[in-house]
Amino acid sequence: MIVRDVVSTVGTDRHASGKGWDSKRLIVASDGVGFSVHDTTVPEGSEIEMEYKHHIEANYCFEGLGEVVDLATGKTYEIKPGSIYVLDKHDRHILRAIKGDLRLVCVFNPALAGGETHRADGSFAPASNSTTQG
C-alpha cells in the first residue's frame, strides 16, 4: 500500500515546476504501478502550449476555471470543477487558467519519473529515458 500527501512532496524530486505550472507528483514510475498521479496548479492568467508525444494524460479539475484548446481543430472546451479532459491522441493543446488558480489531478501513462519539466516542444521525454529536462 502506498500512502502519501502533497505536503510531503514539496522540495523533493517529486516536486517540479515551470513557467505557468507547479506539479507535486504523488505517484511516480519508481512506485511501480504503471502510471503517475500529480497535483498540479496552473496560476490564474497562465497559458501553456503542450503536446505529450510520449504519454497519455488525463486531467480532472477540482478548482478554478479555465479552458483547453485543441490546436488540431481549434475547438475550445471549458474546464471547471468536476470536468475531466484526456489527451488520448497526444493532442497538441493550450491550457489556460482564467479565473482563480486551476487545480488539476493529472494521471500520466506511462508514469513520469518525478522531476520532468516540459521540453521546448511542450512534451516530456519518453518514459524509457525520462530525466529532468530544462
Side-chain angles (χ1 to χ4, degrees), residues 22-38:
D22 182 83
S23 182
K24 292 150 185 99
R25 279 87 189 257
L26 295 163
I27 303 295
V28 297
S30 63
D31 292 317
V33 297
F35 57 88
S36 57
V37 178
H38 315 171

Side-chain angles (χ1 to χ4, degrees), residues 36-107:
S36 57
V37 178
H38 315 171
D39 180 318
T40 299
T41 302
V42 179
E44 182 176 7
S46 295
E47 178 175 301
I48 311 164
E49 186 172 331
M50 297 169 280
E51 178 181 15
Y52 296 119
K53 298 175 181 181
H54 312 289
H55 299 85
I56 301 296
E57 181 192 26
N59 299 275
Y60 176 77
C61 177
F62 64 95
E63 189 175 307
L65 295 174
E67 61 187 19
V68 63
V69 181
D70 180 339
L71 290 176
T73 66
K75 187 163 182 174
T76 300
Y77 301 89
E78 180 182 52
I79 303 300
K80 61 185 178 185
S83 300
I84 190 168
Y85 67 96
V86 180
L87 305 164
D88 62 330
K89 295 176 181 60
H90 307 287
D91 313 89
R92 187 153 196 80
H93 63 288
I94 294 173
L95 179 62
R96 295 184 183 113
I98 296 172
K99 184 175 181 186
D101 292 348
L102 201 55
R103 297 284 310 281
L104 305 164
V105 173
C106 309
V107 178

